[in-house]
Amino acid sequence: VKNQLEGKVGKTFDVFTAVEFKTQVVAGTNYFIKVHVGNDEFMHLRVFRSLPHENKPLSLHSYQSSKAKHDELTYF
């Protein structure tokens, strides 16, 4: 989903490392992921994974920018 995020925010990330995640089961799975994007900057991503029989790629549903390493990863 890195390319999807870069397209939405209009910039590229040299660093893109997941450091924490939570899941929520729906009609598929929502992943809430804390991602280190360089320096002291973090972003929280909400990524949706559809059910296997739907055969769809992962999709970036939404994101929160300007997060810090200590910010709690919550459902959004």
Side-chain angles (χ1 to χ4, degrees):
V1 296
K2 180 183 178 200
N3 291 336
Q4 293 176 47
L5 179 64
E6 290 174 338
K8 286 188 179 205
V9 299
K11 70 181 203 178
T12 59
F13 300 105
D14 293 331
V15 176
F16 196 80
T17 308
V19 295
E20 181 183 348
F21 77 96
K22 294 181 178 181
T23 60
Q24 176 188 38
V25 177
V26 289
T29 305
N30 283 322
Y31 291 90
F32 298 88
I33 308 167
K34 183 184 293 188
V35 178
H36 178 227
V37 292
N39 299 319
D40 291 330
E41 187 179 352
F42 290 78
M43 297 182 84
H44 293 182
L45 311 181
R46 180 176 172 184
V47 176
F48 179 71
R49 180 184 213 172
S50 64
L51 294 171
H53 72 277
E54 294 177 335
N55 200 26
K56 294 180 181 178
L58 293 174
S59 64
L60 177 64
H61 183 271
S62 56
Y63 65 94
Q64 297 176 335
S65 57
S66 301
K67 294 292 187 175
K69 183 175 185 174
H70 66 273
D71 288 340
E72 183 181 357
L73 184 60
T74 59
Y75 297 98
F76 60 94

